[in-house]
Amino acid sequence: MKQYIGDISERAVGSTVELAGWVHVRRNMGKLVFVDLRDSTGIMQIVCVPQELDEASRTAAEELRPEYVVHISGSVQKRSAKQVNVAMSTGTIEVLAKTIQIVSKAKTPPFEIENEDRQANEELRLQYRYLDLRHERLSKTMRMRHRVMQFVRNYLSEKGFVEIQTPILSKSTPEGARDYLVPSRLHKGKFFALPQSPQQYKQLLMVAGFERYFQIAPCFRDEDARADRSPGEFYQIDMEMSFVTQDDILALTEKIFIDLAHELFPEKTITKEPFPRLNYADVMKQYGTDKPDLRNDTTNPNELAFAWIVNFPLFVKQTNEDHFHGAGKTWAPSHHMFTAPRPEDVALLDSNPGQVRGLQHDLVLNGFEIGGGSVRIHDPAVQQKVFDLIGFTEQQKKQFQHMLTAFEYGVPPHGGIAPGLDRLIMILAGEKNLREVTAFPLTNDGRDPMMDSPSEVEKGQLEELGIALKKK
Amino acid sequence: MKQYIGDISERAVGSTVELAGWVHVRRNMGKLVFVDLRDSTGIMQIVCVPQELDEASRTAAEELRPEYVVHISGSVQKRSAKQVNVAMSTGTIEVLAKTIQIVSKAKTPPFEIENEDRQANEELRLQYRYLDLRHERLSKTMRMRHRVMQFVRNYLSEKGFVEIQTPILSKSTPEGARDYLVPSRLHKGKFFALPQSPQQYKQLLMVAGFERYFQIAPCFRDEDARADRSPGEFYQIDMEMSFVTQDDILALTEKIFIDLAHELFPEKTITKEPFPRLNYADVMKQYGTDKPDLRNDTTNPNELAFAWIVNFPLFVKQTNEDHFHGAGKTWAPSHHMFTAPRPEDVALLDSNPGQVRGLQHDLVLNGFEIGGGSVRIHDPAVQQKVFDLIGFTEQQKKQFQHMLTAFEYGVPPHGGIAPGLDRLIMILAGEKNLREVTAFPLTNDGRDPMMDSPSEVEKGQLEELGIALKKK
């Protein structure tokens, strides 16, 4: 098996290595050819001296072009003093090639891999995403995303949280955003919906007695794109706990993010610990937004200004953007319809719903909301009242009957939070766009230019599903 | 915050504890009431002595019924000798209740939680899945599933694999099984498809240069249920590697399963190490199946008989079950259309395709196929030839154009394997059905009786998507 460039250090000087990867740069220096060979772990300078190579390898060295895939064997040697490159982790060594074999050739890429052009046409980048991902910046971001996920999973696992996968073929309920629908073949005329979040499942897992659940969960909302929201799918670090207060949830979450920052991002500093806890009303008055950027220096990407926003109103006025299909009344939930009112405000549900504060908590980072959560309603009577205030019809309430039924069989008090993974990674990576932290994102208008999806399908597929396209 | 029962041992004798959980069993013993209190970590015997309790707690102790949720404070004491229960981890201690508070009441569950009835009506169990999951057996299986996932993720992460999430809103391609479709609202008349596997994405990640990728990936096939296949969604431990031989893939995979078994299932023994590697032709002749049960004692659930099956034919005859919509020719891929032929058999692609063996490998465990994989085609010309042998039209080939294009920009040789997580857990847990290892499974006919999905949706939802139900 090949060796990885990242595993080769000065200690290997004098030994023979087998490398494989992509030609990053090829430089012809008179008789010598220098190749920067790139693999997933680093870049190694290869020196090709014609008289050291057999004929096939000599020809190969001549033919090499950027992005060719090659196998190279050779001996590790120290670079001469003037060749040393302190900016590279392998900058003091190089490999004197013995054999060079072209594994596969490459056409000239539509954009440069070595020098990324941040102004390159995004449509083109997405069409050739497999080349775009070769850029060091994107490749590093994907690896960082992986480390963050593993950190969170191990952290929560050690604290007794159980990761449980909840269904992706789920049910359409009027939860606030527009659902993606999946027609059922076996039950024609009926549809699954992709989950807007695992909200109901995680609450049912609390009823099931798991007490501590998490999942890095795919979520789906068929909404138009916003700067900090992708169309299509996104991931949330979904956590739910039983027998906890809002303080418990905040304390645990805060600890995760502090430990994460210290362990994985030692170059970053957290502006204020413990995180400030700000009232929604105060923060709106002071900053005019519920996601203020509290950095001391808002141009410093290595500053992490976390804050909690609490005491949100439980309800806001319903707008056209709410997808409570057919709900005719005034109120929409500020967070979602399962958020508990503050106990001291429950009486106001009847007299003055607009004054009720909820046990909602938003985590804000550098001017972005990176996670929202709440203590949930666990009293079926209160849940019914919230449904009524939203204006749900009996039919709409029936779509949540399983929740109300479940709460009759011994429900623990519970709550949680669901930090958005993509938005968190975007901020940590200093990116301005969620597409930069997603391996294969959709465009703003919901297309994948690489796969050319969504796409037309065969007539037979629609027939099997019992659906037809509407005439325009 | 409450304490967890699993954290309380004999060392806590004499101290006061705060517990919360569910009433597992309540036994009235004359003046005394014994309660087995269950939380997510264990069961604790609670002794309620009327004269030790205040009036509210005394009343609560009387009212308690199975599955009530309660807060209990009390002092830990040693059990009297005749009360010791060696079968329980907390069997030598008990808590003398000081206060008892009912948090929420429970109706009588439709089936017993304490003594699981394995013959209980499955429809009822799925309808009340949040109660079914309270059964010790299911709860343990979900925790074991979590441990297996974390083991695999940490194992692969340490070996330099990067976990990358690939799209769930993907493209419909004629890949072998029937796709679930998702109508696009922004591009009416077009559809996303849920991925049958991340096959194309993971190969494109190899083109992108990641070299070692993994993901515990949700996969979707709209197939009718089989004993060892769920309708709807399932998870695979998806791994792909560059610059590897089939031997490298087999060796790594084998090591993961051996280490997993040793670490998480010390009570189990592996029948044969290294895993036997059997030729497809031989195994069919000897056992009449390509997934033989090679245990020495097929009644022993703690015996794990792994084996590799290799040298499958690259093609089988096309049948009506293949969803190569419109493909008219004779051949269907034995594994999938991206599997490479054995190098020495490539010439046979023209003369005798039925004789070509593929670089496919199946991992078999106790009579089940728990994972398939292959070295992939990375030569666009060979890929074209395979498409032709399947009988793809130009239109169908065009649906894979992005793969053929990608292979022109420097593709490394690559391959992988994708063990099925659900089936693996099923065997490790000694279960006979995939629904027993899935938190919220669908029924065999593709319904969720708890959520009542799939369900009818509002007319407006379909109008927004530009689709209509076909008249029957």
Side-chain angles (χ1 to χ4, degrees), chain B residues 84-96:
Chain B
V84 166
N85 180 346
V86 289
M88 280 173 80
S89 64
T90 58
T92 63
I93 54 175
E94 61 189 10
V95 168
L96 179 66

Side-chain angles (χ1 to χ4, degrees), chain B residues 120-134:
Chain B
N121 181 305
E122 198 189 20
E123 182 83 10
L124 197 67
R125 283 179 47 208
L126 292 178
Q127 188 187 340
Y128 293 90
R129 187 63 163 181
Y130 44 85
L131 300 180
D132 196 24
L133 285 166
R134 289 184 187 171

Side-chain angles (χ1 to χ4, degrees), chain B residues 146-218:
Chain B
H146 168 219
R147 279 195 303 277
V148 169
M149 289 195 285
Q150 262 324 77
F151 179 91
V152 168
R153 287 200 187 103
N154 283 321
Y155 197 98
L156 291 172
S157 299
E158 275 161 35
K159 293 219 175 307
F161 282 71
V162 188
E163 182 176 10
I164 297 177
Q165 291 146 329
T166 54
I168 295 175
L169 290 171
S170 180
K171 182 183 178 166
S172 184
T173 51
E175 256 184 87
R178 195 185 287 106
D179 284 322
Y180 282 103
L181 297 183
V182 184
S184 162
R185 175 177 59 91
L186 294 172
H187 305 280
K188 291 195 179 49
K190 297 189 172 183
F191 293 79
F192 294 101
L194 305 182
Q196 297 179 21
S197 88
Q199 185 63 37
Q200 298 180 50
Y201 295 109
K202 68 187 171 194
Q203 292 194 238
L204 292 170
L205 287 170
M206 294 303 103
V207 177
F210 282 97
E211 294 196 64
R212 288 168 289 185
Y213 142 91
F214 82 99
Q215 182 184 195
I216 298 186

Side-chain angles (χ1 to χ4, degrees), chain B residues 326-346:
Chain B
K329 297 279 176 67
T330 318
W331 302 108
S334 165
H335 178 223
H336 60 50
M337 60 193 71
F338 305 109
T339 297
R342 292 192 70 88
E344 64 270 35
D345 291 359
V346 168

Side-chain angles (χ1 to χ4, degrees), chain A residues 196-235:
Chain A
Q196 296 179 21
S197 88
Q199 185 63 37
Q200 297 180 49
Y201 294 110
K202 69 187 170 192
Q203 292 195 240
L204 293 170
L205 287 170
M206 295 302 103
V207 177
F210 283 96
E211 294 194 63
R212 287 168 290 183
Y213 143 91
F214 82 100
Q215 184 185 194
I216 298 186
C219 304
F220 305 84
R221 292 177 198 171
D222 187 5
E223 294 178 305
D224 299 326
R226 288 193 246 147
D228 60 346
R229 180 160 282 183
S230 316
E233 54 199 274
F234 60 98
Y235 282 81

Side-chain angles (χ1 to χ4, degrees), chain B residues 148-311:
Chain B
V148 169
M149 289 195 285
Q150 262 324 77
F151 179 91
V152 168
R153 287 200 187 103
N154 283 321
Y155 197 98
L156 291 172
S157 299
E158 275 161 35
K159 293 219 175 307
F161 282 71
V162 188
E163 182 176 10
I164 297 177
Q165 291 146 329
T166 54
I168 295 175
L169 290 171
S170 180
K171 182 183 178 166
S172 184
T173 51
E175 256 184 87
R178 195 185 287 106
D179 284 322
Y180 282 103
L181 297 183
V182 184
S184 162
R185 175 177 59 91
L186 294 172
H187 305 280
K188 291 195 179 49
K190 297 189 172 183
F191 293 79
F192 294 101
L194 305 182
Q196 297 179 21
S197 88
Q199 185 63 37
Q200 298 180 50
Y201 295 109
K202 68 187 171 194
Q203 292 194 238
L204 292 170
L205 287 170
M206 294 303 103
V207 177
F210 282 97
E211 294 196 64
R212 288 168 289 185
Y213 142 91
F214 82 99
Q215 182 184 195
I216 298 186
C219 303
F220 305 84
R221 292 178 199 171
D222 187 6
E223 294 177 307
D224 299 326
R226 289 194 245 146
D228 60 347
R229 181 160 280 183
S230 315
E233 55 199 274
F234 60 97
Y235 283 81
Q236 66 188 33
I237 305 169
D238 208 42
M239 295 182 244
E240 194 80 4
M241 294 153 254
S242 293
F243 304 109
V244 289
T245 62
Q246 189 173 47
D247 268 356
D248 295 330
I249 300 168
L250 268 49
L252 173 84
T253 309
E254 194 160 326
K255 188 85 169 54
I256 296 174
F257 281 102
I258 290 171
D259 290 354
L260 171 76
H262 289 172
E263 182 151 329
L264 297 186
F265 303 93
E267 73 284 8
K268 295 190 192 284
T269 53
I270 294 176
T271 308
K272 208 166 175 188
E273 290 177 44
F275 302 169
R277 295 188 186 182
L278 310 171
N279 281 310
Y280 173 81
D282 298 341
V283 87
M284 287 304 288
K285 201 192 279 177
Q286 191 174 348
Y287 301 99
T289 169
D290 58 1
K291 6 183 203 288
D293 189 340
L294 298 172
R295 282 179 290 183
N296 295 319
D297 172 3
T298 55
T299 64
N300 178 4
N302 277 337
E303 190 182 346
L304 299 176
F306 289 97
W308 290 107
I309 316 294
V310 292
N311 288 322

